[in-house]
Amino acid sequence: MSFIRRFIDPYLLLLLATVALAAVLPARGEGVRVAEMAVTVAVALLFFLYGARLAPAAIWAGLTHWRLQGLVFLSTFLLFPLLGLAVSGVARAWVPGEIAAGLLFLTLLPSTVQSSIAFTGIAGGNVPAALCSASVSNLVGTVLTPLIVAVVFPLTGLLPAAGGGVSWHAIEGIAAQILLPFVAGQAARPLIGGWIARHKRPTSLVDRGSILLVVYAAFSEGMVSGVWQAVSAGDLALVLLFDGVLLAAVIAATTWMSRAFGFSKPDEIAIVFCGSKKSMASGIPMATILFTGSSVSLIVLPLMIFHQVQLFVCAVLARRYAARMAAGVDPAEAGERVVAAAVDSR
């Protein structure tokens, strides 16, 4: 066991096992509803616990950290789209046009919420700042992403944007699944905040468990819809390569900019994890609104693969950050430091 922990990330093994389970036993029929409900409950519980643990002063500090928030916003809605234009321009010579369009589309999406915050917590980063940054990105993205798609896609000639409009359902979902549980946690903090601070393992299990559930639900959806069978193995390999290039470039850029502008290590962690992700939960509903016909399944394919890649890469990266932050403490405990400090602050 010590050999495995030294050379192989145990959490990455859990992620691989989850993907294997989804490939062999994907959620079907009633199981889909159960899986979706489990993800909803896990994410809501995660944010309830964060709300109960984080001091209001720490939340306000994260929201008013304008330099950090600005850098994440620029990474999400400027750096990513510019890279997307370059990568999709190259990819269109090698993959079907719908897939090339999907590579561009994924770069226009907002950041994820739950995984950005969970990985920031695991790594020992600035959780309040990540919470504010990821939530604002998702809310703004429901309006900004369709506008960017409507402007950029006709110029590239990849695919015409059709439909249009803003997904108000996504905004309601964010409020119901994230903001309301967080507010409820804040309200319950005087009663249960101390107990949660003394018992760190439940929050750690919810952090990791929520991501595993998201991976299972997402991969199951791809297996059942047959999207993985619509393209060749060579196409999938190229999409994986292009997705990897995009993710590596953004992680490298956000890491470099964080250090060049003198951000602290906890702030750097929040910037890297919030600025390098894209939301499949927001992207797939948006794609069904903005694009028509059977091309939607191919357009979202790069996003689905990118979603898996970012989870695997960030799981490894979070543990490496945690090991550096721990200074001799078990890496599994490192992600709790910033949250514990926020709870103790007044």
Side-chain angles (χ1 to χ4, degrees), residues 53-64 126 128-129 132 186 189 341-346:
R53 297 194 65 164
L54 294 178
I59 299 171
W60 179 248
L63 186 60
T64 56
N126 189 337
C132 298
Q186 283 278 286
R189 184 173 179 270
V343 170
D344 294 335
S345 63
R346 298 291 185 222

Side-chain angles (χ1 to χ4, degrees), residues 104-183:
L104 175 58
F105 175 67
L106 82 85
T107 65
L108 308 181
L109 293 170
S111 177
T112 62
V113 179
Q114 61 265 31
S115 61
S116 294
I117 298 167
F119 280 131
T120 299
I122 292 170
N126 189 337
V127 173
L131 171 64
C132 298
S133 182
S135 299
V136 170
S137 171
N138 221 272
L139 286 168
V140 172
T142 59
V143 178
L144 188 57
T145 294
L147 293 177
I148 299 176
V149 169
V151 172
V152 171
F153 265 75
L155 296 178
T156 63
L158 286 169
L159 282 176
V166 176
S167 177
W168 296 109
H169 178 71
I171 297 177
E172 294 173 358
I174 291 173
Q177 192 175 359
I178 294 172
L179 297 182
L180 287 182
F182 183 81
V183 171

Side-chain angles (χ1 to χ4, degrees), residues 79 92-93 101 138 153 161 170 245 271 273 278 284:
L79 174 62
R92 65 194 307 173
N138 221 272
F153 265 75
V245 169
I271 291 168
F273 284 123
K278 290 297 179 179
I284 291 179

